[in-house]
Amino acid sequence: MKKIRIITLVLLGMITSAGYSQIQLGVQVGPQFPMGNMDDFNMGIGFSGTAKYFVTEEAAFGLNLGFARFGTEYDDVSASFMPITALFEYNLSSNIFVPYLGFDLGGYNYTYHF
């Protein structure tokens, strides 16, 4: 009876691992350049993290989280923002170079520190 259970679990494990589900995680760190109405602020540093879950080989849903901080020439004035967005991506190719279509939907928390 134990052998039948073990063989059944191994076969089920092989079936589920052949599915298209895949998780991708990414982290980005780098300089942030203020633009638009923030032209009084200096270049800052920021980071973001991305997690994606592929429901098929082409389509993925995920989440983006980030943080960036900018300073000014005044010691007590700075600004920061934190994006929190949900994402959808559709891969157009499965080659080494993978173009995709995607969109993010969410909110950005802007904070000015005086």
Side-chain angles (χ1 to χ4, degrees):
M1 189 67 175
K2 285 185 180 182
K3 290 182 182 180
I4 294 173
R5 286 184 187 170
I6 291 173
I7 291 171
T8 304
L9 288 174
V10 169
L11 290 174
L12 286 175
M14 290 166 59
I15 291 170
T16 56
S17 68
Y20 295 114
S21 63
Q22 178 179 328
I23 296 175
Q24 282 186 354
L25 301 174
V27 176
Q28 300 85 31
V29 177
Q32 304 291 310
F33 301 99
M35 298 179 147
N37 293 336
M38 294 184 66
D39 59 353
D40 292 335
F41 290 90
N42 299 328
M43 181 182 73
I45 189 158
F47 67 90
S48 64
T50 304
K52 297 180 207 173
Y53 178 75
F54 281 83
V55 292
T56 67
E57 286 185 3
E58 296 88 17
F61 292 95
L63 182 69
N64 285 325
L65 300 171
F67 181 80
R69 187 169 184 94
F70 302 98
T72 63
E73 57 199 40
Y74 308 106
D75 291 336
D76 56 348
V77 178
S78 64
S80 63
F81 71 92
M82 184 173 57
I84 303 170
T85 61
L87 68 88
F88 173 77
E89 291 181 359
Y90 185 79
N91 294 333
L92 301 172
S93 171
S94 61
N95 297 328
I96 293 174
F97 177 72
V98 182
Y100 66 92
L101 298 174
F103 68 89
D104 287 55
L105 181 63
Y108 284 72
N109 179 22
Y110 291 95
T111 307
Y112 293 99
H113 308 278
F114 297 102

